[in-house]
Amino acid sequence: QVQLQESGPGLVKPSETLSLTCTVSGGSISSYYWSWIRQPPGKGLEWIGYIYYSGTTNYNPSLKSRVTISLDTPKNQFSLKLNTVTTADTAVYYCVRGAGWWEYWGQGTLVTVSS
Amino acid sequence: QSALTQPASVSGSPGQSITISCTGTTSDVGRYNYVSWYQQHPGKAPKLMIYDVSNRPSGVSNRFSGSKSDNTASLTISGLQAEDEADYYCNSYTSTNFYVFGTGTKVTVL
């Protein structure tokens, strides 16, 4: 059974960079698409982007200028970097397997942007 | 790209059937059969219920079914049970090569 686990700072200052890592267990990262999805407190879901095991990426146009998703195949991990954050980036961030539909989700990690 | 439109809330009594709509445009729901549905209980990660409009993943109850007509996709829950009380989100691929979620629907079991 594939399992995903997010890790990273729970508090980021405005204008700084949000960095999260997702560790995949129970399966190899060297296949499938791997995505990040976020959910502001009390609000709906927003797709951030995905990376394919080949390295191909695709990002939400509304975030594209600030987002980078990368793979670390030897560690079976993939990562999210979101630059120049504001309070609007406060959300639960989920790492997920897939693109288009998402069956395996991490438990989510709350990242708060505050000074 | 705007979020897909869902009713804010839908309710029903145990045993009844309810349908949640998800309205998009000719650039997303109306163009592609890449609509998926997710159930989310409070404090939990979403769970995939339907993919590619009407397909159920292994382990999802057959009380859940999906369909699409023109620019509107629908999720029907038959034989409503207390455990179905949750938030539900639809999602679609778009012509600009990204994915958009619906606004979300809170299902209440009376």
Side-chain angles (χ1 to χ4, degrees), chain A residues 7-9 12 15-22 34-38 48-51 57-60 62-72 77-86 89 93-95 111 113:
Chain A
S7 59
V12 181
S15 80
E16 295 189 345
T17 297
L18 180 159
S19 296
L20 294 174
T21 297
C22 182
W34 303 94
S35 296
W36 289 94
I37 291 169
R38 71 179 183 178
I48 298 171
Y50 68 63
I51 187 166
T57 55
N58 186 20
Y59 302 130
N60 188 322
S62 68
L63 299 170
K64 189 173 183 177
S65 63
R66 299 193 292 131
V67 172
T68 302
I69 298 176
S70 58
L71 278 176
D72 187 336
Q77 296 175 333
F78 64 106
S79 298
L80 168 71
K81 288 190 185 300
L82 181 65
N83 301 327
T84 321
V85 297
T86 70
D89 295 310
Y93 286 77
Y94 294 100
C95 60
V111 179
V113 178

Side-chain angles (χ1 to χ4, degrees), chain A residues 39 47 58 94 100-102, chain B residues 38 40 48 89 97-99 101:
Chain A
Q39 185 172 36
W47 175 74
N58 186 20
Y94 294 100
W101 47 272
W102 302 279
Chain B
Y38 301 84
Q40 187 179 33
L48 177 67
Y89 294 91
N97 192 30
F98 76 101
Y99 301 91
F101 280 97

Side-chain angles (χ1 to χ4, degrees), chain B residues 21-98:
Chain B
S21 61
C22 170
T23 301
T25 69
T26 54
S27 296
D28 39 63
V29 175
R31 177 171 292 192
Y32 304 102
N33 288 327
Y34 297 138
V35 175
S36 54
W37 289 90
Y38 301 84
Q39 175 192 67
Q40 187 179 33
H41 288 108
K44 301 294 187 182
K47 176 185 177 182
L48 177 67
M49 307 303 285
I50 295 287
Y51 66 95
D52 293 350
V53 175
S54 59
N55 294 300
R56 266 189 317 274
S58 174
V60 171
S61 171
N62 59 10
R63 298 186 298 104
F64 292 84
S65 62
S67 62
K68 191 187 84 165
S69 177
D70 296 326
N71 297 338
T72 299
S74 299
L75 175 72
T76 298
I77 309 174
S78 57
L80 197 62
Q81 299 179 1
E83 66 206 50
D84 300 332
E85 185 161 294
D87 293 326
Y88 290 81
Y89 294 91
C90 61
N91 179 275
S92 175
Y93 181 67
T94 76
S95 61
T96 43
N97 192 30
F98 76 101

Side-chain angles (χ1 to χ4, degrees), chain B residues 5-11 18-22 37-38 40 86-90 102-108:
Chain B
T5 301
Q6 298 181 231
S9 63
V10 173
S11 61
I18 62 169
T19 296
I20 303 168
S21 61
C22 170
W37 289 90
Y38 301 84
Q40 187 179 33
D87 293 326
Y88 290 81
Y89 294 91
C90 61
T103 50
T105 298
K106 181 176 179 60
V107 168
T108 301

